[in-house]
Amino acid sequence: MSDISLEQLTAAVAAETGIDLGIVKAVLEMADEGATVPFIARYRKERTRGLDEVGIRALFESRDRVQLLEARRETIRGQMNELGLLTADLERRLNACLNKQELEDFYLPHKPKRRSKATEAIERGLEPLAMRLLKQPHGGNPIADAARFVDTSRGVPSTDAALAGARDIVVDRIACRADLRRDLRAAYIRNGEIGAKRSKKAGDKRTPFDDYDGHTESVHGIPSHRFLALRRGAEQGVLDLRMSLDRERTLDFIARRSDIDNQSPYAEHLQEAVKDAWSSRLKRAVETEVMAGLKEKADAAAARIFADNLGHLLLEAPFGTRSVIGIDPGFRSGCKCVAIDDSGRYRATITVFPHQGARGLDEAKQKLRAFVAAHSADAIAVGNGTAGRETESFVRDTIRETKHADTIVLSVSETGASVYSASDIAREEFPNLDLTIRGAISIARRLQDPLSELVKVDPKSIGVGQYQHDVHQPLLEKKLGDVVETCVNRVGVELNTASTSLLSHVAGIGPTLATRIVAHREAHGMFPSRASLSEVKGIGKRTYEQAAGFLRVAASAEPLDHSSVHPERYGLVRRMAKDAGVLVEDLVGDDELAASIEVDRYVAEGIGEPTLRDIVDELKRPGRDPRNTFEPPQFRDDVTSIDDVEIGMELEGVVTNVTAFGAFVDIGVHQDGLVHKSAFWRRVHEPAELVHLGDRLRVVVDDIDRERRRISLRAERR
């Protein structure tokens, strides 16, 4: 990408991130060797001094920015060299640029110009007159000076035309000044305003952006979610978005920065050039740059919020290896019910029609009771979409007076289930099943293990962010991909049961090798150990090193294969066991025995206390799932629609989305309520300081707008 050396790259990244130079160097060296973020964070703590995944990813992002910046610097250097423009002073200034905006500002006066009024004026020989205007001599006469340039053959028929052309050149000089553009951007951010008004194109139809008609606020104070909302309204033609900065103060500032000498007879021409430069060039250009900066900032904030939400969703407590009946509810099309066993394998399906009159209800009850009796599920998961709460009530009523009355019945988010059911992954898993049946299977499996099922779906289709379609998509995809990788490797993956989708997120593996692993498993049977993974084509020493610690093999005779202890440390653990006078299998899982290990005895080159502490913790609780214990939410049976909700009601809810402005809470009525960030039990800058997706909240209904289907809630202290 660029010719920057590792030493230069390391220094630049350390300067940008503030992370110790030695740590940066170690991380970048490991990255060059093919090490992944999860592997570095988990198994190379001595080299990183315990830097976590967030810090390591920040280093990688800084590295990428530095490399892009250097690549652009080299491009500019090469182009200026070709044009014969690169003097020693200009090269010094080029090397001093610290970010992309500074580079572009620097390059603007020197880059090949498109045809403009200024280039035409230069072609007509008016550049010397422009230089005369810029020098502002106290003696002399602009008209007399201009008369010397009148030449009809060159398109300069009069002194007015000559002066106009000279001013065009001056305008270009003013508009291309890097320092001026930088200071004007700062002025916009410090003193500018951004606002919107309803577009005439919008007509009289109500839109979600009506509240922004006439809205104005400071550029520096606008929160990311509001900027994205205004921008979306503008892109949809509903709002006219505008920025403003005091015109007279700005013109005076540009004039002062242009050193206009009001005692010179040439001053009025420069004043006119300043006005023209602002109105025709600088205002639009600077506003575009400020808008781009706001968009970049808003994108980063939105991507961070989306990633945080996704992380909590993926790490929601699993119901576990227990049998489940999943129901994809519907009114006219019926409710598709499927049974899956404790390992997630599909067993059977029926369709019932409980919402089509008394006759259909009676028949549906009989069929569902027989289905539940035949499959003895530990839980019934009902999708929370259309007819979800009605179906949930139907299921509870149906099993209430049967021997399965204690079966857990609960609502499960079906967001993205339809995307999965129509995907290539779903078709490969269930080629002979209807889309709706696949959707019901996904709902059931989401209850069993949210992580294993949700990795099959594009994270963007899960809908746990704000303005996700407005965010720069490569940035969002990168952030969400990082979160999925972190969550999968944090939990660990069972090599003999994991899907291709899940395996593809294990450190060092990826989609191609994941497909080969599953194909090998199907052709040769279960993997007997971690070591046998090396038999898969393409799994070399480096890949095995990266992946092995995050894979579990429950069937292995090697007890450490059930844990997150890396195979490179098996010899060390055997030594610990020998020193303790026990077998490895006796040491693994014995909390008291593991706690008695004196880690200081085993410190050696490359193996420090952090790694040893991790090993001891894992020996105490091998393969421990970091996720919380499953607890079903408790919705009120008498509150199933927005019509049942009343102001002042106290309800229990589940946080379904967290944004910069508030948290959306499912209270069991098909319409999530909003706890605005001002309605929490204490003041917060962002709701994520207090709540996360999946949290249980006690809320009070503050307001209801039934027409717009909006519920305002107040969160009680937990």
Side-chain angles (χ1 to χ4, degrees), residues 364-365 368-369 393-402:
K365 284 184 175 182
L368 183 61
R369 283 175 185 148
S393 297
F394 154 72
V395 173
R396 292 182 192 278
D397 291 343
T398 299
I399 66 172
R400 182 170 288 132
E401 297 180 2
T402 71

Side-chain angles (χ1 to χ4, degrees), residues 117-118 121-122 124-137 142 145-146 148-149 161-174 266 269-270 273:
K117 288 182 178 180
I122 291 172
R124 294 200 302 270
L126 295 173
E127 191 168 17
L129 180 59
M131 295 303 100
R132 178 80 171 165
L133 296 182
L134 287 168
K135 286 181 179 178
Q136 306 179 81
D145 290 339
R148 295 197 296 271
F149 293 89
L163 287 168
R167 287 195 300 270
D168 288 335
I169 297 172
V170 173
V171 166
D172 188 67
R173 295 290 179 93
I174 294 172
Y266 298 85
H269 294 284
L270 289 184

Side-chain angles (χ1 to χ4, degrees), residues 19-145:
I19 296 174
D20 180 84
L21 189 68
I23 297 175
V24 174
K25 186 173 186 294
V27 170
L28 295 185
E29 285 176 345
M30 287 187 281
D32 283 349
E33 294 166 1
T36 61
V37 172
F39 177 81
I40 295 171
R42 172 73 184 181
Y43 297 113
R44 294 295 181 264
K45 289 184 177 178
E46 282 73 24
R47 294 189 66 183
T48 66
R49 298 179 213 169
L51 189 66
D52 61 15
E53 287 196 30
V54 174
I56 294 169
R57 292 194 192 282
L59 285 185
F60 281 17
E61 290 169 6
S62 176
R63 174 202 61 188
D64 294 343
R65 282 194 298 272
V66 170
Q67 289 179 327
L68 284 170
L69 182 69
E70 292 309 313
R72 179 59 179 156
R73 196 190 313 273
E74 286 304 310
T75 298
I76 292 172
R77 180 179 283 110
Q79 291 175 345
M80 290 183 68
N81 258 326
E82 285 181 17
L83 296 170
L85 300 175
L86 195 61
T87 64
D89 179 60
L90 287 177
E91 182 154 24
R92 178 188 58 76
R93 289 168 52 197
L94 172 62
N95 291 333
C97 294
L98 298 177
N99 56 55
K100 189 174 184 296
Q101 188 63 69
E102 286 186 13
L103 272 179
E104 300 307 328
D105 284 349
F106 163 82
Y107 186 41
L108 185 61
H110 310 292
K111 68 194 305 185
K113 297 284 196 298
R114 284 185 281 180
R115 194 160 187 79
S116 65
K117 288 182 178 180
T119 58
E120 290 175 359
I122 291 172
E123 290 172 359
R124 294 200 302 270
L126 295 173
E127 191 168 17
L129 180 59
M131 295 303 100
R132 178 80 171 165
L133 296 182
L134 287 168
K135 286 181 179 178
Q136 306 179 81
H138 279 207
N141 184 306
I143 301 297
D145 290 339

Side-chain angles (χ1 to χ4, degrees), residues 346-563:
Y346 165 72
R347 291 307 186 199
T349 183
I350 59 170
T351 302
V352 297
F353 297 87
H355 310 303
Q356 296 187 10
R359 182 176 177 181
L361 178 61
D362 291 340
E363 183 180 337
K365 284 184 175 182
Q366 292 177 16
K367 287 182 69 175
L368 183 61
R369 283 175 185 148
F371 193 69
V372 172
H375 297 286
S376 300
D378 295 301
I380 300 174
V382 181
N384 68 345
T386 303
R389 283 293 273 147
E390 293 83 354
T391 301
E392 193 180 340
S393 297
F394 154 72
V395 173
R396 292 182 192 278
D397 291 343
T398 299
I399 66 172
R400 182 170 288 132
E401 297 180 2
T402 71
K403 65 178 182 178
H404 304 286
D406 293 335
T407 301
I408 299 172
V409 180
L410 70 167
S411 176
V412 173
S413 172
E414 61 181 53
T415 305
S418 60
V419 175
Y420 160 77
S421 64
S423 68
D424 292 339
I425 295 173
R427 281 191 290 272
E428 289 173 9
E429 285 191 285
F430 307 107
N432 301 317
L433 295 181
D434 181 73
L435 288 173
T436 53
I437 304 302
R438 296 174 193 158
I441 293 171
S442 181
I443 289 168
R445 285 178 168 178
R446 285 187 187 196
L447 177 61
Q448 282 184 326
D449 190 341
L451 177 61
S452 295
E453 194 62 21
L454 287 171
V455 293
K456 301 174 184 177
V457 182
D458 180 353
K460 289 185 293 184
S461 69
I462 298 174
V464 289
Q466 58 180 29
Y467 301 102
Q468 64 208 56
H469 301 296
D470 303 286
V471 176
H472 184 53
Q473 294 304 293
L475 169 67
L476 185 60
E477 289 171 9
K478 173 69 168 58
K479 289 291 185 184
L480 300 186
D482 289 347
V483 169
V484 175
E485 181 184 54
T486 292
C487 293
V488 168
N489 289 284
R490 182 180 171 192
V491 172
V493 172
E494 169 54 48
L495 182 58
N496 283 315
T497 59
S499 66
T500 303
S501 300
L502 194 59
L503 284 167
S504 68
H505 294 289
V506 173
I509 291 182
T512 301
L513 288 179
T515 301
R516 289 180 185 174
I517 290 170
V518 172
H520 186 279
R521 192 172 69 198
E522 292 173 350
H524 302 284
M526 294 201 306
F527 290 93
S529 65
R530 274 175 172 166
S532 62
L533 180 65
S534 297
E535 297 170 8
V536 177
K537 183 181 179 182
I539 304 286
K541 181 180 178 181
R542 175 65 67 185
T543 301
Y544 180 77
E545 177 190 59
Q546 296 298 307
F550 304 106
L551 296 170
R552 312 282 181 267
V553 185
S556 176
E558 168 56 71
L560 294 174
D561 280 357
H562 315 163
S563 73

